[in-house]
C-alpha cells in the first residue's frame, strides 16, 4: 500500500497517479486518509501530553505526602485518575483510527510510473517491441483444441467430469511436454542467477494481504473455508511472502528467486471464444520470477527480467510482442507493468503469456519487507518485482498451432532434450 509519507508529502502527485489509473474518487479517498491520519495524530499528541502531565503530577504527589499535605495530594491523585480515564479513551480512539486508516489505505491502488501511458483499457496499451516470425500455415490449419483432439493430447471433457470446466487432463506426449517446459523454464532461470524454491500451493490470509490479492481479488481466489487458506493464483504470493516482516542487509540485494507452481484462479465471468481450449483455465502451471531490490536499482532489475522473458520466447521460436500497459489496464498493485504476448497463428490472435511488474514499495509496505542501507540506523522499504517466466497454457497453444505440419506437430528444438521426442503425431503415444 502507499505510505502515509508519500500521500502527505506528494498529495497532488498521488491524486494524479490514481486518476491516471482511473481510480474512482481519488481525491476523496486521499483526503479521507489525511483526515483520519490527522485524527490519529491529534489523539497521539493528547495522549503524550497527558502522560507528561501525569509524570509531573506523580512527583508532586510524592512531595506533598512528604510534607503531610494529604488533602492537596488527594486532589492531585484525583487529577491523575481522571487523566488515566481519558488516556484509556484516547488509546481506544487511536486503535480505532489506526484500523480505519489501514482499511482505507488497502482500498487505494498503487500509482503508476510517469512513463506509463494514459488509457482506459487494453486498446490503449503501447507495443514497445516485436520479434520473431509469424508462421504461414495451410488453409486447413487447426486451432489447438482440435489438434489436441486429433492427437489425443488433452481431454477437456474428462476434466469436466473429474472437476469442472477449466481443469483439463493432459495425456501422453502433452503431459511430457508440460513437464519439459517447466524444467526448461526453471533451468533458464537458474542460469540467470535465480535460486529455485518450491513453495506451498496454499497460503494464509496474511500472505494474500501482503502481496495485494486480499482484499482486492478475494472473489478470484479459491478459499478453503475450514482452515481459512487460499489456493495460490501464482507463486508470486508464497515466494514474496518469504520476506514478510524481514529486515535485509543491503549486501543481500538484489534477491532473485524462481518457483514452479500450479496456479488456481476462479476467473469469474469468463466466457466466449477467447476462453476456449487452453486460452483461459482455472488451473494451470507457471514458473514465476521474484526479485527484492533497492529502490534505486529496481528499474534495472525490471529491464533484466524483461530481457529474460524475451529470451524464452526467442528460444521457443515464437513470434512475440511486448506491451507497456496503460494506467487503466494495470493491476491494483503494479507501479509499471509489461505484458508479453505470443502470436497464435491458427487463431490469428495474440495471447498473453507473461506479465512483468515492478511494484515499487507498494507490496513491501504491506509486507513490512525492509533493508538496512550500509551505515544507516533506520531500515527502508524494499522494492518488489515479479514476472511470469512463463505461463504454460497459452505457450502450449501457440507451440501446437504454429508448428503444425502435414506430418504432425514439430517440437521446438530447445525442448527436445527435455521431452525426448521431436514430433507429436499419430505414430507414438
Amino acid at each position: 500500500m502507499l505510505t502515509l509519507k508519500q500521500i502527505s508529502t506528494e498529495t497532488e502527485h498521488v491524486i494524479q497517479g490514481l486518476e491516471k489509473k482511473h481510480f474512482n474518487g481519488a481525491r476523496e479517498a486521499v483526503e479521507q486518509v489525511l483526515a483520519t491520519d490527522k485524527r490519529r495524530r491529534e489523539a497521539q499528541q493528547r495522549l503524550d501530553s497527558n502522560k507528561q502531565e501525569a509524570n509531573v503530577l506523580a512527583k508532586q504527589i510524592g512531595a506533598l505526602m512528604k510534607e503531610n499535605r494529604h488533602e492537596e495530594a488527594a486532589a492531585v491523585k484525583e487529577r491523575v485518575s481522571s487523566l488515566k480515564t481519558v488516556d484509556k479513551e484516547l488509546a481506544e480512539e487511536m486503535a480505532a483510527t489506526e484500523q480505519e486508516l489501514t482499511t482505507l489505505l488497502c482500498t487505494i491502488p498503487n500509482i503508476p510510473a510517469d512513463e506509463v501511458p494514459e488509457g482506459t483499457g487494453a486498446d490503449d496499451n503501447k507495443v514497445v517491441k516485436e520479434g520473431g516470425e509469424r508462421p504461414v500455415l495451410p488453409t486447413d490449419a487447426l486451432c489447438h483444441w482440435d489438434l489436441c483432439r486429433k492427437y489425443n493430447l488433452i481431454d477437456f471433457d474428462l476434466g469436466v467430469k473429474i472437476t469442472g470446466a477449466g481443469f483439463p487432463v493432459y495425456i501422453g506426449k502433452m503431459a511430457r511436454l508440460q513437464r519439459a517446459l517447466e524444467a526448461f523454464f526453471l533451468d533458464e532461470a537458474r542460469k540467470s542467477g535465480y535460486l529455485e524454491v518450491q513453495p506451498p500451493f496454499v497460503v494464509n490470509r496474511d500472505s494474500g494481504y501482503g502481496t495485494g490479492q486480499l482484499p482486492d481479488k478475494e472473489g478470484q481466489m479459491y478459499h478453503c473455508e475450514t482452515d481459512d487458506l487460499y489456493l495460490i493464483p501464482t507463486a508470486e504470493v508464497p515466494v514474496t511472502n518469504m520476506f514478510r516482516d524481514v529486515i535485509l542487509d543491503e549486501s543481500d540485494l538484489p534477491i532473485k528467486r524462481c518457483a514452479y507452481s500450479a496456479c488456481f484462479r476462479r476467473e469469474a465471468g469468463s466466457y466466449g471464444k477467447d476462453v476456449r481450449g487452453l486460452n483461459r483455465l482455472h488451473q494451470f502451471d507457471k514458473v514465476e520470477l521474484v526479485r527484492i531490490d533497492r529502490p534505486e536499482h529496481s528499474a534495472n532489475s525490471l529491464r533484466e527480467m524483461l530481457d529474460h522473458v524475451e529470451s524464452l520466447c526467442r528460444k521457443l521460436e515464437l513470434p512475440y510482442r511486448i506491451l507497456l500497459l496503460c494506467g487503466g489496464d494495470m493491476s491494483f498493485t503494479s507501479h509499471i507493468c509489461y505484458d508479453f504476448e505470443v502470436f497464435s497463428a491458427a487463431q490469428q490472435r495474440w495471447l498473453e503469456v507473461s506479465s512483468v511488474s515492478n511494484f515499487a514499495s507498494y507490496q513491501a509496505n504491506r509486507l513490512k519487507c525492509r533493508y538496512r542501507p550500509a551505515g544507516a540506523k533506520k531500515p527502508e522499504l524494499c522494492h518488489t518485482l515479479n514476472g511470469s517466466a512463463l505461463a504454460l497454457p497459452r505457450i502450449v497453444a501457440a507451440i501446437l498451432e504454429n508448428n503444425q505440419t502435414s506430418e504432425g506437430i514439430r517440437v521446438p528444438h530447445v525442448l527436445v532434450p527435455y521431452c525426448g521426442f521431436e514430433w507429436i503425431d499419430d505414430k507414438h503415444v
Side-chain angles (χ1 to χ4, degrees):
M1 58 190 173
L2 298 176
T3 64
L4 278 172
K5 181 179 179 181
Q6 186 177 12
I7 292 174
S8 60
T9 61
E10 305 173 31
T11 304
E12 286 305 314
H13 177 69
V14 168
I15 292 171
Q16 290 169 10
L18 294 175
E19 290 174 344
K20 189 177 186 180
K21 221 168 188 180
H22 295 271
F23 176 65
N24 293 329
R27 184 172 295 277
E28 292 81 356
V30 167
E31 289 176 350
Q32 190 174 3
V33 165
L34 294 175
T36 304
D37 183 48
K38 181 181 179 182
R39 283 171 31 222
R40 181 187 63 83
R41 287 185 287 106
E42 288 174 347
Q44 181 67 67
Q45 290 170 357
R46 290 170 59 195
L47 190 60
D48 292 342
S49 176
N50 285 355
K51 287 182 177 179
Q52 291 177 355
E53 182 180 353
N55 289 336
V56 171
L57 293 175
K59 293 178 182 179
Q60 289 181 5
I61 291 170
L64 291 170
M65 293 298 290
K66 286 181 180 179
E67 296 173 5
N68 292 321
R69 298 161 62 183
H70 298 292
E71 290 185 4
E72 294 178 53
V76 175
K77 286 181 181 179
E78 187 174 340
R79 171 59 180 164
V80 171
S81 178
S82 67
L83 285 175
K84 288 182 179 180
T85 300
V86 172
D87 286 352
K88 182 179 179 181
E89 294 173 353
L90 287 172
E92 291 173 352
E93 181 181 346
M94 278 191 61
T97 52
E98 285 175 355
Q99 182 58 51
E100 181 182 348
L101 191 58
T102 299
T103 301
L104 286 171
L105 288 170
C106 284
T107 66
I108 298 176
N110 200 356
I111 59 173
D114 292 339
E115 60 265 40
V116 170
E118 296 281 354
T120 58
D123 291 340
D124 299 314
N125 294 336
K126 180 182 178 182
V127 177
V128 297
K129 191 172 185 179
E130 193 166 340
E133 296 183 8
R134 300 188 192 185
V136 178
L137 299 183
T139 55
D140 60 348
L142 300 176
C143 292
H144 69 270
W145 49 84
D146 291 323
L147 289 168
C148 288
R149 186 179 300 108
K150 177 180 179 179
Y151 294 110
N152 191 30
L153 300 175
I154 300 177
D155 194 325
F156 294 99
D157 294 333
L158 185 57
V160 172
K161 173 185 175 181
I162 296 169
T163 307
F167 295 89
V169 176
Y170 302 93
I171 301 167
K173 282 190 174 181
M174 180 51 63
R176 292 165 63 186
L177 186 65
Q178 289 273 121
R179 195 155 35 91
L181 281 163
E182 294 158 10
F184 168 64
F185 292 150
L186 287 170
D187 281 353
E188 291 297 300
R190 177 180 53 79
K191 292 174 186 176
S192 295
Y194 290 86
L195 178 65
E196 182 181 349
V197 295
Q198 192 173 62
F201 290 0
V202 292
V203 294
N204 57 31
R205 186 173 291 273
D206 286 344
S207 293
Y209 167 82
T211 45
Q213 277 70 31
L214 299 178
D216 180 53
K217 292 183 175 64
E218 188 157 8
Q220 294 294 320
M221 298 174 72
Y222 285 99
H223 185 208
C224 309
E225 294 185 7
T226 301
D227 301 303
D228 195 22
L229 297 175
Y230 293 84
L231 276 66
I232 61 171
T234 165
E236 168 205 348
V237 182
V239 175
T240 310
N241 270 278
M242 292 176 181
F243 304 95
R244 173 160 42 98
D245 296 321
V246 170
I247 298 178
L248 302 160
D249 290 329
E250 185 174 13
S251 59
D252 296 331
L253 304 175
I255 286 172
K256 302 167 69 175
R257 298 288 185 268
C258 67
Y260 153 79
S261 78
C263 303
F264 304 89
R265 299 182 185 181
R266 294 186 62 242
E267 301 286 7
S270 298
Y271 60 92
K273 64 180 179 63
D274 291 344
V275 302
R276 190 172 180 185
L278 296 172
N279 287 347
R280 191 175 296 276
L281 301 176
H282 296 306
Q283 177 185 323
F284 60 93
D285 290 349
K286 181 155 68 82
V287 170
E288 192 79 0
L289 306 179
V290 170
R291 291 179 72 139
I292 314 290
D293 209 344
R294 292 175 289 118
E296 60 269 25
H297 190 258
S298 69
N300 188 60
S301 275
L302 181 64
R303 286 190 294 270
E304 290 178 6
M305 294 175 75
L306 292 171
D307 289 343
H308 179 84
V309 176
E310 184 178 5
S311 74
L312 298 178
C313 294
R314 286 177 174 170
K315 290 176 181 178
L316 290 173
E317 308 164 47
L318 292 171
Y320 66 91
R321 67 180 185 181
I322 307 172
L323 295 86
L324 174 59
L325 300 196
C326 69
D329 201 34
M330 292 172 63
S331 72
F332 189 86
T333 52
S334 290
H335 179 58
I336 184 169
C337 180
Y338 291 85
D339 273 2
F340 280 78
E341 297 179 338
V342 296
F343 189 72
S344 178
Q347 298 180 67
Q348 285 292 298
R349 59 188 294 255
W350 291 96
L351 303 175
E352 180 194 333
V353 295
S354 174
S355 290
V356 182
S357 302
N358 186 346
F359 304 101
S361 62
Y362 190 89
Q363 281 186 338
N365 191 31
R366 297 169 76 115
L367 292 159
K368 294 183 173 57
C369 175
R370 294 167 290 172
Y371 78 104
R372 197 180 304 278
K377 294 182 179 180
K378 187 176 180 180
E380 298 180 9
L381 290 173
C382 297
H383 277 195
T384 64
L385 306 92
N386 84 273
S388 310
L390 285 162
L392 268 63
R394 294 171 193 162
I395 286 287
V396 170
I399 287 175
L400 295 179
E401 294 181 6
N402 294 3
N403 295 306
Q404 60 182 297
T405 72
S406 58
E407 298 177 353
I409 302 168
R410 183 183 62 81
V411 175
H413 297 297
V414 73
L415 295 179
V416 173
Y418 288 92
C419 63
F421 51 85
E422 298 179 5
W423 290 88
I424 297 174
D425 50 35
D426 293 323
K427 299 176 183 178
H428 304 287
V429 176

